[in-house]
């Protein structure tokens, strides 16, 4: 599921809201915004943009709007990665693979995930 584009700061805020949900603008401004030097009005604007893009929903509880994500964090992250590959890497994963090959450390878990992904891609290719 791909929504409208989401920036790095919006993604970080969305992840914070997901961890705290349901949460209010005041709570997010205090726990997320203040440590980053963001005013409450900035946090409110970002949250409302995320709501307009379909990433957040809100419900009024005891006179306060409580926000929560409309989809799981995996879906949002997958969309952000797809956006990065499409826009920054012009649809090619080769630059990312080159980056990984030059990286000093790739954990055993990361390597296992990559191997499983390659095996899955090869399996799908054989089915076509």
């Amino acid at each position: 599921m791909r929504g409208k584009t989401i920036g790095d700061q919006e993604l970080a805020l969305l992840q914070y809201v997901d961890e705290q949900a349901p949460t209010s603008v005041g709570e997010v401004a205090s726990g997320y915004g203040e440590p980053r030097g963001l005013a409450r009005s900035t946090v409110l604007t970002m949250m409302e943009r995320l709501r307009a893009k379909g990433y957040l929903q809100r419900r009024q509880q005891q006179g306060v709007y409580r926000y929560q994500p409309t989809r799981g964090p995996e879906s949002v992250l997958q969309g952000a990665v797809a956006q990065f590959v499409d826009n920054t890497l012009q649809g090619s994963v080769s630059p990312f693979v080159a980056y990984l090959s030059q990286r000093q450390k790739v954990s055993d878990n990361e390597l296992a995930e990559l191997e499983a992904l390659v095996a899955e891609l090869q399996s799908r290719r054989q089915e076509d």
Side-chain angles (χ1 to χ4, degrees), residues 1 6 11-21 55-56 68-81:
M1 178 179 199
I6 183 170
L11 180 60
L13 180 124
L14 187 57
Q15 289 171 329
Y16 180 85
V17 170
D18 183 59
E19 292 167 4
Q20 306 300 316
Y55 290 100
L56 288 179
Q68 64 186 41
T70 58
R71 54 188 99 165
E74 297 85 17
S75 174
V76 173
L77 191 55
Q78 186 177 28
V81 169

Short mmCIF file of all heavy atoms in Angstrom, two decimals, residues 1 6 11-21 55-56 68-81:
data_model
loop_
_atom_site.label_atom_id
_atom_site.label_comp_id
_atom_site.label_asym_id
_atom_site.label_seq_id
_atom_site.Cartn_x
_atom_site.Cartn_y
_atom_site.Cartn_z
N MET A 1 0.85 -1.17 0.00
CA MET A 1 0.00 0.00 0.00
C MET A 1 0.89 1.24 0.00
O MET A 1 1.66 1.45 0.91
CB MET A 1 -0.87 -0.04 1.26
CG MET A 1 -1.76 1.13 1.41
SD MET A 1 -2.71 0.85 2.93
CE MET A 1 -4.02 1.94 2.69
N ILE A 6 6.41 10.66 1.97
CA ILE A 6 6.63 10.98 3.37
C ILE A 6 8.12 11.28 3.55
O ILE A 6 8.96 10.54 3.05
CB ILE A 6 6.16 9.82 4.27
CG1 ILE A 6 6.30 10.16 5.74
CG2 ILE A 6 6.85 8.53 3.94
CD1 ILE A 6 5.63 9.17 6.66
N LEU A 11 8.56 10.49 8.81
CA LEU A 11 8.69 9.07 9.10
C LEU A 11 9.10 8.85 10.55
O LEU A 11 8.53 8.01 11.26
CB LEU A 11 9.70 8.41 8.16
CG LEU A 11 9.94 6.91 8.36
CD1 LEU A 11 8.65 6.12 8.17
CD2 LEU A 11 11.02 6.42 7.40
N ALA A 12 10.05 9.63 11.04
CA ALA A 12 10.49 9.52 12.43
C ALA A 12 9.35 9.85 13.39
O ALA A 12 9.14 9.16 14.39
CB ALA A 12 11.69 10.43 12.69
N LEU A 13 8.59 10.89 13.08
CA LEU A 13 7.46 11.27 13.92
C LEU A 13 6.40 10.18 13.89
O LEU A 13 5.84 9.81 14.93
CB LEU A 13 6.86 12.60 13.46
CG LEU A 13 5.68 13.05 14.31
CD1 LEU A 13 5.93 14.44 14.87
CD2 LEU A 13 4.41 13.04 13.50
N LEU A 14 6.14 9.62 12.73
CA LEU A 14 5.15 8.55 12.60
C LEU A 14 5.56 7.33 13.41
O LEU A 14 4.73 6.70 14.07
CB LEU A 14 4.96 8.19 11.12
CG LEU A 14 3.85 7.22 10.79
CD1 LEU A 14 2.50 7.71 11.28
CD2 LEU A 14 3.80 6.99 9.28
N GLN A 15 6.84 7.02 13.39
CA GLN A 15 7.33 5.89 14.19
C GLN A 15 7.15 6.17 15.68
O GLN A 15 6.78 5.28 16.45
CB GLN A 15 8.80 5.59 13.86
CG GLN A 15 8.95 4.98 12.48
CD GLN A 15 10.39 4.89 12.02
OE1 GLN A 15 11.23 5.70 12.38
NE2 GLN A 15 10.68 3.90 11.19
N TYR A 16 7.39 7.41 16.08
CA TYR A 16 7.19 7.79 17.48
C TYR A 16 5.72 7.64 17.86
O TYR A 16 5.39 7.06 18.91
CB TYR A 16 7.67 9.22 17.73
CG TYR A 16 7.49 9.65 19.17
CD1 TYR A 16 8.46 9.34 20.11
CD2 TYR A 16 6.35 10.32 19.58
CE1 TYR A 16 8.30 9.71 21.45
CE2 TYR A 16 6.18 10.68 20.91
CZ TYR A 16 7.14 10.37 21.84
OH TYR A 16 6.98 10.73 23.16
N VAL A 17 4.83 8.15 17.03
CA VAL A 17 3.39 8.05 17.31
C VAL A 17 2.98 6.58 17.39
O VAL A 17 2.21 6.19 18.26
CB VAL A 17 2.56 8.80 16.25
CG1 VAL A 17 1.07 8.50 16.39
CG2 VAL A 17 2.80 10.30 16.33
N ASP A 18 3.52 5.75 16.51
CA ASP A 18 3.20 4.32 16.53
C ASP A 18 3.59 3.69 17.86
O ASP A 18 2.84 2.88 18.41
CB ASP A 18 3.90 3.61 15.37
CG ASP A 18 3.54 2.14 15.31
OD1 ASP A 18 2.34 1.83 15.16
OD2 ASP A 18 4.45 1.30 15.39
N GLU A 19 4.73 4.07 18.39
CA GLU A 19 5.20 3.52 19.67
C GLU A 19 4.36 4.01 20.85
O GLU A 19 4.23 3.32 21.85
CB GLU A 19 6.66 3.92 19.91
CG GLU A 19 7.63 3.26 18.94
CD GLU A 19 9.01 3.89 18.97
OE1 GLU A 19 9.26 4.80 19.81
OE2 GLU A 19 9.85 3.48 18.15
N GLN A 20 3.77 5.21 20.74
CA GLN A 20 3.04 5.83 21.85
C GLN A 20 1.53 5.74 21.70
O GLN A 20 0.80 6.13 22.61
CB GLN A 20 3.43 7.31 21.97
CG GLN A 20 4.91 7.57 22.09
CD GLN A 20 5.53 6.93 23.31
OE1 GLN A 20 4.98 6.98 24.39
NE2 GLN A 20 6.69 6.31 23.12
N ALA A 21 1.03 5.29 20.58
CA ALA A 21 -0.39 5.36 20.23
C ALA A 21 -1.28 4.64 21.22
O ALA A 21 -0.88 3.62 21.78
CB ALA A 21 -0.60 4.79 18.83
N TYR A 55 -1.76 8.71 6.75
CA TYR A 55 -0.90 7.91 7.62
C TYR A 55 -1.37 7.89 9.07
O TYR A 55 -1.05 6.98 9.82
CB TYR A 55 0.54 8.40 7.57
CG TYR A 55 1.23 8.12 6.26
CD1 TYR A 55 1.37 9.10 5.29
CD2 TYR A 55 1.74 6.86 5.99
CE1 TYR A 55 2.01 8.85 4.09
CE2 TYR A 55 2.39 6.59 4.79
CZ TYR A 55 2.51 7.59 3.85
OH TYR A 55 3.14 7.32 2.66
N LEU A 56 -2.10 8.93 9.49
CA LEU A 56 -2.60 9.01 10.85
C LEU A 56 -4.11 9.18 10.83
O LEU A 56 -4.67 9.75 9.88
CB LEU A 56 -2.00 10.21 11.60
CG LEU A 56 -0.54 10.14 12.02
CD1 LEU A 56 -0.14 11.45 12.72
CD2 LEU A 56 -0.28 8.96 12.93
N GLN A 68 -3.34 7.91 16.04
CA GLN A 68 -2.70 6.61 15.87
C GLN A 68 -2.52 6.36 14.37
O GLN A 68 -3.25 6.91 13.55
CB GLN A 68 -3.48 5.50 16.53
CG GLN A 68 -4.86 5.25 15.95
CD GLN A 68 -5.60 4.22 16.79
OE1 GLN A 68 -5.54 4.24 18.01
NE2 GLN A 68 -6.30 3.33 16.13
N PRO A 69 -1.54 5.55 14.03
CA PRO A 69 -1.28 5.25 12.62
C PRO A 69 -2.44 4.48 12.00
O PRO A 69 -3.15 3.74 12.67
CB PRO A 69 -0.02 4.38 12.64
CG PRO A 69 0.61 4.65 13.96
CD PRO A 69 -0.52 4.95 14.90
N THR A 70 -2.62 4.65 10.70
CA THR A 70 -3.66 3.94 9.98
C THR A 70 -3.17 2.62 9.43
O THR A 70 -3.95 1.81 8.94
CB THR A 70 -4.20 4.77 8.80
OG1 THR A 70 -3.10 5.10 7.93
CG2 THR A 70 -4.86 6.04 9.30
N ARG A 71 -1.86 2.42 9.45
CA ARG A 71 -1.27 1.17 8.96
C ARG A 71 -0.05 0.84 9.81
O ARG A 71 0.46 1.67 10.53
CB ARG A 71 -0.90 1.29 7.49
CG ARG A 71 0.00 2.47 7.18
CD ARG A 71 0.19 2.68 5.71
NE ARG A 71 -0.71 3.73 5.27
CZ ARG A 71 -0.63 4.35 4.14
NH1 ARG A 71 0.29 4.02 3.28
NH2 ARG A 71 -1.48 5.28 3.80
N GLY A 72 0.39 -0.39 9.69
CA GLY A 72 1.52 -0.85 10.48
C GLY A 72 2.83 -0.23 10.06
O GLY A 72 2.98 0.25 8.93
N PRO A 73 3.81 -0.24 10.97
CA PRO A 73 5.11 0.37 10.67
C PRO A 73 5.82 -0.30 9.49
O PRO A 73 6.54 0.35 8.74
CB PRO A 73 5.90 0.22 11.96
CG PRO A 73 5.16 -0.76 12.80
CD PRO A 73 3.74 -0.77 12.32
N GLU A 74 5.60 -1.60 9.30
CA GLU A 74 6.25 -2.29 8.17
C GLU A 74 5.77 -1.72 6.84
O GLU A 74 6.55 -1.52 5.92
CB GLU A 74 5.97 -3.80 8.22
CG GLU A 74 6.53 -4.49 9.45
CD GLU A 74 5.60 -4.42 10.65
OE1 GLU A 74 4.39 -4.13 10.50
OE2 GLU A 74 6.09 -4.63 11.77
N SER A 75 4.46 -1.46 6.75
CA SER A 75 3.89 -0.92 5.53
C SER A 75 4.43 0.48 5.23
O SER A 75 4.76 0.80 4.08
CB SER A 75 2.36 -0.87 5.65
OG SER A 75 1.78 -0.23 4.55
N VAL A 76 4.54 1.29 6.28
CA VAL A 76 5.06 2.65 6.10
C VAL A 76 6.52 2.61 5.68
O VAL A 76 6.93 3.31 4.75
CB VAL A 76 4.88 3.47 7.40
CG1 VAL A 76 5.57 4.82 7.28
CG2 VAL A 76 3.40 3.66 7.70
N LEU A 77 7.30 1.78 6.34
CA LEU A 77 8.73 1.68 6.02
C LEU A 77 8.92 1.13 4.61
O LEU A 77 9.77 1.62 3.86
CB LEU A 77 9.44 0.80 7.05
CG LEU A 77 10.96 0.82 7.00
CD1 LEU A 77 11.50 2.24 7.12
CD2 LEU A 77 11.51 -0.04 8.11
N GLN A 78 8.12 0.15 4.23
CA GLN A 78 8.21 -0.40 2.88
C GLN A 78 7.91 0.68 1.84
O GLN A 78 8.59 0.78 0.82
CB GLN A 78 7.24 -1.57 2.73
CG GLN A 78 7.37 -2.29 1.40
CD GLN A 78 6.45 -3.49 1.32
OE1 GLN A 78 5.40 -3.54 1.96
NE2 GLN A 78 6.84 -4.46 0.53
N GLY A 79 6.93 1.51 2.11
CA GLY A 79 6.61 2.62 1.20
C GLY A 79 7.74 3.63 1.12
O GLY A 79 8.05 4.15 0.04
N ALA A 80 8.37 3.92 2.26
CA ALA A 80 9.49 4.87 2.28
C ALA A 80 10.67 4.32 1.49
O ALA A 80 11.33 5.05 0.75
CB ALA A 80 9.90 5.19 3.71
N VAL A 81 10.93 3.02 1.63
CA VAL A 81 12.02 2.40 0.88
C VAL A 81 11.72 2.42 -0.62
O VAL A 81 12.58 2.74 -1.44
CB VAL A 81 12.29 0.95 1.38
CG1 VAL A 81 13.22 0.21 0.44
CG2 VAL A 81 12.86 0.99 2.78
#
